[in-house]
């Protein structure tokens, strides 16, 4: 995926967001605590341009170097960064931010370049618009005048609703109230960009392997980036809040997933600050014995990984199909909702998760909805509760389905067979020949990804019968895999029937952050999830995506009553669930076993944005001794209590900002 916090669900990317997702605060480090942080990353950035890129690979390299108006504190609250204070008009349309004086732009070499001003935020959004940022959907319909500027109806960016009133006052004007607007400011498209530096670099600005091609105002400076090797950071000694930066350096080593056991080895040697463990690896029994008191499971994160369904495949470089008849039959099958539902119900997600988490931890990571079911609540009901009520209207197959995390509410062999029987009758009438062959590409170096897709193949073929459906796993190199899925230039290059290279991390605190990305107009997403990039695509029309668009438009207009808003977005999620155009699988972060020297709950926490602890190292503290499971659980209980109290306090104080 190319917009927003795109997440590769292919295996290794799951590692990069592991243990820290759950972190917040526990105890302080002392002067003897380690100051060097180490772990892994899984994909080299195509660019360092944090404004235009939505890929996780770019965020890993840049989120520590650039701060926007806000970051997240240890309890998930928005906390001022470059913005010292803020206010919103009573009608909810005008947000005014007071820019903190003395925040410096620094070069990679640690030399002061300029002061950060309100103009840098205006220039950042202009850069996003002019360069067609992959994350424009976050701003396009929100900021007044931006859609007209993007459409060419206005050539003057000053008509757009972002203005530097003076060097230290920034103002945004919105088209309609957005109660979650400030949470968007933690996403990189809204971060500042120094215009003079950008122009001085020209085409060399933000080059993928050149730390000197960016300026930095965040807690760390990017010092080195070697492709398929390492990313290196050093503490920014001129950072305005350096007292909360407890690390001197951070190094991420490239990890392709081929040697899972290297994570534990490097942790044991002291090179890594924590390690994600694999209960299915050959040496796990020894690891379990060595760290019997230290292995803990983190809570499930907000990210989602699953399988995309290509409704209009055009490329067949990686395929087991030998005839045009097989290609046509597969296309027709994937356009049939009953067939897609059969796949959805035949998918054993617990078995899938077990390939990574082992049998004991397998259920913890299972997800049944695209939107995390407890991401928001309406009164006493979770978002998942609302969806369960809505989806029942689509058919009896959805009655009594449990959408909560941590259990497989969708896997049901009887339902799968019933839906397939309906599909087969209809498809044979269209001349479709069985079995249906479904190509699923995998990165052959990622052992756990290959194992998960093999598990998917086993469950689907067992439930539906190999005489009906065959999953053809295409094991290819990492570069081939990325080029056919994650980095595919357009829909024509998406070379798959089902793809495990789909997933999402939310950008802000509202269900729209998940669901809006799959609107038919978001071509960067629809091509990666569903294989089409034209809103007028005939296959898209056939599966009814315009009905989905309509539900989203209706939900987006509800801004005064959050409970009603969530109800309407639940209706859109119900449509997506029933369509089975995306097969949810498991949380892409957390819900996994770890060993760690990170002080439990010492890092920032967030369900959304680019300042969560998987990307942002500002508050992280390390300790000499390996964390015990008992210490972790005790710290977690304390954090949960403190988080509830802190969130409630912040919520009450929001009225003070209304002017």
């Amino acid at each position: 995926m190319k917009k927003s916090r795109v997440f590769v669900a292919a295996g290794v990317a799951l590692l990069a967001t592991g243990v820290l997702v759950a972190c917040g605060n526990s105890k302080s480090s002392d002067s003897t605590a380690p100051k060097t942080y180490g772990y892994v990353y899984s994909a080299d950035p195509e660019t360092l341009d944090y404004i235009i890129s939505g890929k996780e690979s770019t965020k890993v390299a840049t989120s520590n170097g650039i701060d926007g108006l806000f970051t997240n504190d240890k309890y998930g609250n928005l906390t001022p960064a470059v913005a010292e204070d803020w206010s919103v008009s009573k009608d909810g349309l005008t947000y005014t931010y007071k820019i903190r004086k003395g925040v410096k732009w620094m070069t990679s070499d640690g030399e002061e370049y300029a002061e950060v001003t309100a103009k840098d935020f205006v220039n950042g959004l202009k850069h996003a618009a002019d360069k067609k940022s992959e994350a424009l959907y976050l701003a396009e319909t929100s900021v007044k005048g931006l859609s007209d500027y993007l459409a060419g109806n206005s050539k003057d960016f000053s008509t757009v609703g972002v203005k530097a009133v003076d060097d230290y006052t920034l103002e945004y004007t919105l088209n309609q109230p957005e109660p979650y607007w400030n949470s968007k400011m933690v996403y990189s498209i809204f971060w500042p960009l120094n215009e003079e530096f950008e122009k001085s670099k020209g085409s060399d600005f933000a080059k993928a392997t050149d730390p000197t091609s960016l300026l930095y105002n965040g807690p760390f400076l990017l010092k080195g980036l070697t492709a398929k090797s390492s990313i290196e950071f050093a503490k920014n000694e001129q950072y305005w809040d350096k007292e909360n930066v407890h690390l001197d350096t951070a190094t991420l080593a490239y990890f392709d997933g081929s040697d899972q056991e290297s994570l534990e080895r490097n942790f044991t040697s002291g090179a890594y600050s924590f390690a994600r463990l694999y209960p299915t690896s050959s040496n796990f029994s020894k690891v379990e014995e060595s760290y019997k008191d230290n292995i803990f499971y983190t809570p499930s994160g907000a990210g989602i990984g699953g399988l995309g369904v290509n409704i209009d495949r055009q490329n067949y470089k990686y395929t087991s199909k030998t005839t045009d008849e097989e290609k046509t039959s597969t296309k027709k099958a994937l356009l049939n909702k009953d067939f897609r539902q059969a796949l959805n119900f035949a998918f054993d997600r617990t078995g899938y998760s077990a390939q990574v988490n082992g049998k004991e931890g397998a259920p913890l990571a299972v997800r049944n909805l695209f939107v995390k079911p407890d991401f928001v609540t309406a009164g006493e009901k979770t978002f998942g509760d609302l969806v369960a009520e809505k989806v029942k209207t689509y058919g009896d197959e959805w009655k009594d389905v449990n959408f909560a995390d941590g259990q497989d509410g969708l896997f049901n062999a009887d339902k799968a067979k019933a839906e397939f029987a309906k599909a087969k009758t209809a498809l044979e009438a269209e001349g479709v020949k069985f079995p249906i062959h479904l190509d699923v590409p995998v990165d052959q170096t990622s052992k756990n990804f290959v194992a998960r897709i093999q598990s998917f193949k086993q469950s689907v073929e067992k439930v539906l019968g190999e005489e009906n459906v065959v999953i053809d796993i295409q094991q290819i190199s990492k570069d081939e895999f990325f080029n056919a899925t994650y980095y595919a230039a357009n829909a024509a290059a998406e070379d798959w029937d089902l793809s495990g290279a789909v997933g999402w991390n939310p950008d802000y605190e509202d269900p729209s952050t998940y669901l809006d990305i799959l609107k038919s107009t978001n071509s960067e997403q629809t091509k990666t999830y569903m294989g089409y990039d034209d809103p007028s695509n005939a296959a898209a029309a056939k599966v009814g995506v315009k009905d989905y668009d309509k539900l989203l438009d209706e939900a987006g207009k509800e801004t005064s009553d959050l409970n009603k808003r969530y109800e309407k977005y639940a209706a859109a999620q119900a449509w997506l669930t029933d369509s089975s155009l995306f097969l949810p699988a498991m949380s892409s972060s957390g819900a996994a076993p770890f060993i760690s020297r990170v002080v439990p709950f010492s890092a920032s926490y967030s369900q959304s944005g680019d300042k969560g602890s998987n990307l942002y190292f500002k508050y992280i503290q390390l300790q000499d001794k390996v964390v015990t499971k008992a210490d972790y659980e005790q710290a977690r209980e304390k954090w949960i209590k403190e988080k509830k109290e802190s969130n409630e306090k912040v919520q009450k104080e929001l009225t003070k900002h209304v002017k």
Side-chain angles (χ1 to χ4, degrees):
M1 279 136 289
K2 290 198 171 179
K3 287 182 183 173
S4 188
R5 295 201 48 203
V6 183
F7 213 91
V8 186
V12 292
L14 296 172
L15 299 168
T17 65
V19 65
L20 298 176
V21 169
C23 292
N25 186 38
S26 177
K27 54 187 176 180
S28 300
S29 60
D30 56 39
S31 59
T32 64
K35 303 292 184 182
T36 300
Y37 174 86
Y39 197 49
V40 299
Y41 76 104
S42 59
D44 291 318
E46 290 182 309
T47 177
L48 294 181
D49 193 336
Y50 52 91
I51 300 285
I52 68 167
S53 176
K55 295 185 178 66
E56 192 88 350
S57 52
T58 295
K59 308 308 173 70
V60 167
T62 60
S63 286
N64 282 289
I66 295 90
D67 273 355
L69 297 171
F70 297 103
T71 60
N72 297 109
D73 71 9
K74 56 196 174 188
Y75 301 121
N77 301 311
L78 290 175
T79 186
V82 180
E84 191 172 38
D85 198 6
W86 65 279
S87 63
V88 58
S89 60
K90 289 182 180 180
D91 62 7
L93 297 178
T94 304
Y95 283 76
T96 303
Y97 302 94
K98 290 298 180 182
I99 302 302
R100 188 183 303 276
K101 293 181 180 180
V103 178
K104 305 296 185 181
W105 282 118
M106 308 295 293
T107 68
S108 178
D109 294 327
E111 296 179 358
E112 182 179 328
Y113 184 89
E115 188 173 16
V116 178
T117 69
K119 294 176 184 177
D120 296 327
F121 288 88
V122 176
N123 184 57
L125 191 58
K126 185 177 187 299
H127 179 77
D130 292 343
K131 299 294 184 179
K132 299 296 185 288
S133 169
E134 294 169 355
L136 270 174
Y137 67 94
L138 284 170
E140 182 173 358
T141 59
S142 299
V143 180
K144 189 175 181 179
L146 183 56
S147 58
D148 282 337
Y149 181 81
L150 291 168
N153 299 329
S154 170
K155 305 292 185 182
D156 183 2
F157 193 75
S158 67
T159 62
V160 176
V162 57
K163 180 169 64 174
V165 178
D166 56 46
D167 281 351
Y168 304 106
T169 309
L170 176 69
E171 184 180 277
Y172 282 98
T173 304
L174 309 185
N175 287 315
Q176 64 179 22
E178 293 187 6
Y180 49 87
W181 170 257
N182 273 341
S183 67
K184 286 186 175 183
M185 299 301 99
V186 188
Y187 191 82
S188 62
I189 190 176
F190 295 104
W191 294 352
L193 176 62
N194 183 280
E195 184 177 11
E196 180 184 337
F197 180 82
E198 178 194 357
K199 288 182 177 178
S200 72
K201 286 295 182 180
S203 60
D204 289 333
F205 173 71
K207 290 184 69 173
T209 57
D210 183 7
T212 69
S213 65
L214 280 187
L215 289 179
Y216 306 89
N217 73 337
F220 293 90
L221 306 175
L222 180 61
K223 303 297 288 186
L225 201 164
T226 305
K228 295 185 178 179
S229 177
S230 65
I231 303 176
E232 300 173 13
F233 305 90
K235 182 178 180 178
N236 178 3
E237 295 296 342
Q238 300 303 313
Y239 184 56
W240 71 272
D241 192 28
K242 67 178 182 180
E243 289 75 16
N244 280 312
V245 182
H246 306 291
L247 305 171
D248 291 335
T249 60
T251 301
L252 303 179
Y254 181 73
F255 178 70
D256 65 7
S258 60
D259 183 4
Q260 296 174 353
E261 296 166 2
S262 67
L263 298 175
E264 178 271 323
R265 290 199 306 273
N266 281 295
F267 173 82
T268 299
S269 72
Y272 294 167
S273 301
F274 65 100
R276 196 250 197 256
L277 302 179
Y278 292 90
T280 55
S281 63
S282 60
N283 76 331
F284 184 71
S285 59
K286 292 182 180 178
V287 174
E288 199 171 25
E289 184 178 341
S290 300
Y291 292 103
K292 60 180 180 296
D293 296 325
N294 306 103
I295 299 172
F296 58 86
Y297 279 80
T298 57
S300 175
I304 171 71
L307 295 169
V309 178
N310 194 335
I311 58 174
D312 191 22
R313 184 178 179 182
Q314 301 169 56
N315 194 358
Y316 291 90
K317 181 179 179 181
Y318 307 114
T319 185
S320 296
K321 297 178 180 64
T322 58
T323 66
D324 288 340
E325 183 180 61
E326 287 182 344
K327 295 175 184 177
T328 300
S329 291
T330 297
K331 275 193 173 186
K332 288 182 177 180
L334 291 177
L335 287 173
N336 183 288
K337 185 172 75 170
D338 292 325
F339 180 81
R340 298 192 304 270
Q341 286 185 351
L343 295 177
N344 210 356
F345 288 127
F347 183 4
D348 179 358
R349 290 160 177 81
T350 306
Y352 186 87
S353 175
Q355 307 311 310
V356 187
N357 277 359
K359 187 175 181 180
E360 180 183 348
L364 299 176
V366 173
R367 283 279 292 276
N368 302 281
L369 288 177
F370 190 45
V371 179
K372 195 173 191 297
D374 58 356
F375 189 66
V376 295
T377 58
E380 297 298 316
K381 295 179 180 179
T382 67
F383 188 77
D385 294 334
L386 299 178
V387 175
E389 293 173 358
K390 303 286 185 183
V391 77
K392 286 188 291 187
T393 64
Y394 284 97
D396 289 345
E397 65 270 27
W398 298 112
K399 284 184 178 179
D400 303 319
V401 173
N402 183 356
F403 291 112
D405 280 350
Q407 53 81 44
D408 194 341
L410 293 172
F411 180 50
N412 188 305
D414 291 337
K415 288 182 180 180
K417 291 173 182 177
E419 294 306 314
F420 181 80
K422 289 191 287 184
K424 189 169 187 178
T425 299
L427 290 169
E428 285 183 330
E430 295 181 42
V432 168
K433 302 296 184 184
F434 289 83
I436 301 299
H437 284 265
L438 299 170
D439 293 313
V440 186
V442 296
D443 168 11
Q444 61 192 9
T445 64
S446 180
K447 293 180 179 178
N448 72 69
F449 183 39
V450 173
R452 276 182 285 144
I453 299 303
Q454 287 174 335
S455 172
F456 173 76
K457 171 183 172 70
Q458 182 179 16
S459 68
V460 169
E461 291 181 353
K462 180 179 179 181
V463 171
L464 300 180
E466 291 180 59
E467 70 279 11
N468 292 313
V469 179
V470 175
I471 305 298
D472 293 315
I473 300 175
Q474 307 298 323
Q475 295 199 39
I476 53 183
S477 72
K478 178 183 287 291
D479 288 342
E480 288 175 318
F481 171 75
F482 278 141
N483 290 336
T485 57
Y486 186 57
Y487 290 141
N490 48 45
E494 299 283 355
D495 193 0
W496 47 274
D497 295 316
L498 300 176
S499 170
V502 293
W504 194 254
N505 275 326
D507 305 321
Y508 53 92
E509 301 293 321
D510 189 73
S512 59
T513 187
Y514 291 92
L515 299 170
D516 281 2
I517 69 162
L518 298 181
K519 287 184 76 170
S520 66
T521 51
N522 285 337
S523 60
E524 287 290 348
Q525 305 300 346
T526 58
K527 75 176 178 58
T528 312
Y529 276 85
M530 303 177 198
Y532 77 94
D533 53 12
D534 181 354
S536 61
N537 180 279
K542 189 166 184 178
V543 298
V545 295
K546 293 301 180 183
D547 294 332
Y548 180 65
D549 290 352
K550 195 173 179 180
L551 289 168
L552 291 174
D553 289 340
E554 185 178 342
K557 292 174 184 176
E558 180 56 67
T559 60
S560 58
D561 187 326
L562 286 181
N563 286 348
K564 289 182 179 178
R565 180 180 178 86
Y566 298 158
E567 286 264 4
K568 290 181 177 181
Y569 273 111
Q573 170 68 82
W575 184 95
L576 184 63
T577 295
D578 179 65
S579 77
S580 295
L581 287 166
F582 170 75
L583 311 182
M586 59 188 293
S587 169
S588 60
S589 54
F594 286 89
I595 46 179
S596 173
R597 293 187 191 90
V598 176
V599 174
F601 302 90
S602 67
S604 61
Y605 171 80
S606 178
Q607 289 196 109
S608 63
D610 292 328
K611 297 297 182 182
S613 53
N614 60 310
L615 294 169
Y616 198 52
F617 308 151
K618 177 176 176 178
Y619 301 104
I620 290 175
Q621 299 177 45
L622 303 178
Q623 60 185 54
D624 290 312
K625 295 182 179 179
V626 180
V627 175
T628 67
K629 180 180 179 180
D631 284 345
Y632 180 84
E633 293 300 335
Q634 184 179 0
R636 183 185 175 194
E637 288 181 16
K638 181 174 181 286
W639 176 78
I640 289 173
K641 180 182 177 182
E642 292 175 348
K643 179 180 182 296
K644 183 175 184 295
E645 294 170 351
S646 178
N647 294 166
E648 289 174 351
K649 181 180 178 181
V650 170
Q651 195 65 33
K652 289 178 182 178
E653 292 176 347
L654 287 177
T655 55
K656 297 178 182 179
H657 294 279
V658 180
K659 304 295 183 182

